[in-house]
Amino acid sequence: MIRFLAEIALRITIMAASTPSNSGLPEGITKTKNIYEIDISPPPAASWWTDWGGSYDEYTGTQIALYFERFLSQAESIGELVDYTLYIDTSTYIVYFNIPKHPWLYADYAAESENLIPFISSALDEDDPSNNYIRDVNAETRLGIPSFTVKLSDSISGITLNQSFSIEIDNHDGYFDDDALWDLFNTPVYLKKAVTEKPAYENFMEIRSGFVGSTKITFDRFQINVDDKLRNMDEPVCNLIDQKDFAFPLVAEATGKNIPVLYGTKKIKLLKLDNENRFIAAEFVSALGGVYDKDGNPVSASIDGNVITAANAVSAVVTGYTANNIGEIIKDLVTRKTGIQYVSSNWNFEEVDAYTAIAPDINILFSQGDVKKAVQEAIKSDMAYFIQQSGGKFTIRKWGEVYGTHEIPSWAATKTPEKNYDKAQENYFSSCTVKYNFSDVDKNTYDTCLYDEAETGAEDRYRKRRVSEYETDLITEQAARNLAVLLSGRYSSMSQTMNLAVGVDTTSFELLDMVFFAPEINDRIFSRAEVFIITAINPAQDILTMEEVDFRDLDEMNPMFDNSNYEEDYDQLYAYTDNSEYEILVDGGNA
């Protein structure tokens, strides 16, 4: 039976008492890094203190949340205790946390601790329905069955964060009517799922988390709307020109303007700083090429840091950050501009590093907007996706690469599947052009790569000719051609999209994972497609949206893929995933 657990934060009236953690820490982690600890272990059943009538300020949640000007994120190990993180040692009930200054230096309003209170969707043990204790905490059976979908963007590339979702908890008895008690705004929420019988806390796997955005209370239900953890990465990508950052007086019109962020090399317009012929091109300049006046004539110039001095200067050829691979750009933008550090609790190292190793270089300038828009602009030069996975980690996945694989027998379908060609019709083309090598910020000059090798076959099969155009920041003809081939492999054929509800746990399934599913149901061969790529997941309801691919596509898109490892004639006797073991769930029970 599938069970869901929601943990919501309830403010503790007394701030957690912490002590410096000076011993037992890994090498390199010392008290100079402001590591503190809190003991949240259960108090003894009896002691001299209770015999004398005393009581303990104990924690009553499944875990603890700490706030020091922001909620601390959870590290995977004590060795990853970077600023604003905490680690809970479940064997000792000791909470270690790292903050940039001592706890007593935070104002009362900027520091608090919170219990995470559990609510479940059904009894943990059907034979003992009143015994719903998780980590010695009674979990009330109030949670409604959740439903939400995470999907790829509709464009050829893009960002897929853990989009907003909501949960509903029963309120027939007025349990949540006290507004002062359930003041949840901006507090963390965790939604977890378990498929084992009589699950313990460790059996519940996180499928979504975030911070409370708003609540809605009626006489019968309490609805919590949960926002993405990063608020969709809305931090500005550009710093502002500020007098405090310069040793010379600025002209009035310069103050407050965006300082562009440049990766690679471009000819860009200069921003005037003062009346002494000083200009700024970007927040970081590693090399200065030619500097030009309004007529395009070169002028002599010097540079100090990122400040250029030149008479009558209007534009310059500038090299910014030299790590201009798309993967490196995304890592740099997110870690520097949002404060999300590059540690394993935040990032899927293996996949991000694998993408970075094959990602193309680009020349790109960001002069406005937020981090999310900047990442979107960078990744549009490849058929790749910046994804926040089910456990909250970031990854970058590329269409055509092989990630997790899952084999689902036809009898595991809980509803008859549906197939359509809506997306295929929308994105179809017989040939395409990829624009690349834009030499200046106005995009007046560029090169074009035309790919029409599939045109004849596509028109013959689908009776339609269409040319699609893609504008990129790619630099080389080979990179443009590689993208064109990848695009054609996906969009020059009409691939079906299938919606499939399954009786297997999809908690470990991720976007762009591969699914082997031969839809032969009730002696009907519903589709001859047997290999799919996941484009949307509802992990709460175990519903997949998948796009058809075939082995020939995989060979062309990824020469390293060896399809001899997979048989096309399955015995239909089992379900398999390479990510984790899971049980088959049929009619709400275990097969």
Side-chain angles (χ1 to χ4, degrees), residues 316-444:
V317 175
V318 176
T319 300
Y321 295 103
T322 55
N324 57 328
N325 168 291
I326 293 177
E328 294 288 358
I329 291 172
I330 292 173
K331 286 193 296 184
D332 184 60
L333 284 172
V334 175
T335 54
R336 278 199 308 117
K337 301 294 184 176
T338 71
I340 303 301
Q341 302 190 50
Y342 195 66
V343 293
S344 63
S345 55
N346 295 330
W347 297 79
N348 184 328
F349 281 168
E350 181 179 356
E351 291 185 0
V352 173
D353 291 346
Y355 173 75
T356 301
I358 62 173
D361 291 344
I362 59 175
N363 292 328
I364 190 167
L365 179 77
F366 305 110
S367 57
Q368 61 182 351
D370 55 28
V371 174
K372 180 179 180 180
K373 181 180 178 182
V375 172
Q376 182 77 59
E377 283 296 308
I379 209 168
K380 79 172 186 180
S381 294
D382 197 7
M383 194 183 290
Y385 300 85
F386 179 64
I387 298 170
Q388 191 173 7
Q389 297 179 305
S390 56
K393 291 186 180 183
F394 294 115
T395 190
I396 309 174
R397 288 187 164 194
K398 181 184 177 81
W399 185 273
E401 296 298 308
V402 178
Y403 299 101
T405 57
H406 315 276
E407 189 170 333
I408 302 176
S410 58
W411 55 261
T414 57
K415 295 181 180 178
T416 54
E418 301 174 354
K419 61 181 179 180
N420 67 75
Y421 291 86
D422 296 343
K423 290 296 181 184
Q425 183 71 261
E426 178 183 337
N427 296 314
Y428 166 80
F429 63 74
S430 55
S431 61
C432 69
T433 60
V434 175
K435 295 181 178 180
Y436 68 100
N437 195 30
F438 288 86
S439 59
D440 60 71
V441 72
D442 292 327
K443 298 189 174 182
N444 294 319

Side-chain angles (χ1 to χ4, degrees), residues 92-283:
T92 62
Y93 286 95
I94 299 296
V95 179
Y96 300 92
F97 62 97
N98 187 352
I99 49 179
K101 58 186 180 182
H102 301 301
W104 56 84
L105 297 179
Y106 290 86
D108 289 344
Y109 60 80
E112 66 180 52
S113 54
E114 309 211 359
N115 282 323
L116 291 184
I117 308 301
F119 297 91
I120 52 178
S121 59
S122 59
L124 299 177
D125 184 353
E126 293 180 329
D127 298 327
D128 188 9
S130 62
N131 184 15
N132 292 315
Y133 281 85
I134 300 177
R135 280 192 176 175
D136 299 321
V137 179
N138 183 41
E140 298 210 18
T141 311
R142 294 176 175 268
L143 180 64
I145 302 298
S147 179
F148 56 86
T149 299
V150 181
K151 63 179 183 178
L152 293 179
S153 62
D154 292 332
S155 58
I156 70 164
S157 59
I159 298 180
T160 300
L161 299 180
N162 274 342
Q163 301 128 351
S164 300
F165 67 101
S166 63
I167 59 174
E168 292 188 357
I169 308 177
D170 184 81
N171 191 41
H172 275 93
D173 57 355
Y175 187 87
F176 296 100
D177 288 352
D178 188 342
D179 299 331
L181 178 63
W182 299 102
D183 174 20
L184 303 180
F185 178 72
N186 203 38
T187 58
V189 174
Y190 298 90
L191 181 61
K192 302 180 179 182
K193 173 183 174 183
V195 297
T196 58
E197 289 301 310
K198 302 179 182 179
Y201 182 77
E202 292 72 21
N203 299 126
F204 284 93
M205 305 302 295
E206 181 182 321
I207 57 175
R208 209 63 177 277
S209 60
F211 292 106
V212 175
S214 63
T215 59
K216 180 180 179 181
I217 304 174
T218 68
F219 262 61
D220 57 3
R221 64 187 177 91
F222 180 41
Q223 178 178 310
I224 303 175
N225 300 313
V226 186
D227 291 336
D228 180 80
K229 282 184 176 180
L230 294 185
R231 296 292 192 272
N232 294 323
M233 297 194 302
D234 58 0
E235 293 88 349
V237 71
C238 296
N239 298 326
L240 301 179
I241 297 176
D242 193 329
Q243 179 62 72
K244 67 179 176 58
D245 298 321
F246 298 89
F248 52 87
L250 303 177
V251 292
E253 58 268 26
T255 303
K257 286 186 176 180
N258 289 337
I259 303 175
V261 182
L262 174 65
Y263 295 89
T265 303
K266 269 188 179 295
K267 184 178 182 180
I268 61 178
K269 294 180 179 178
L270 300 177
L271 297 174
K272 182 179 179 180
L273 294 176
D274 65 3
N275 292 319
E276 301 296 326
N277 297 323
R278 293 189 181 99
F279 301 85
I280 190 169
E283 73 172 20

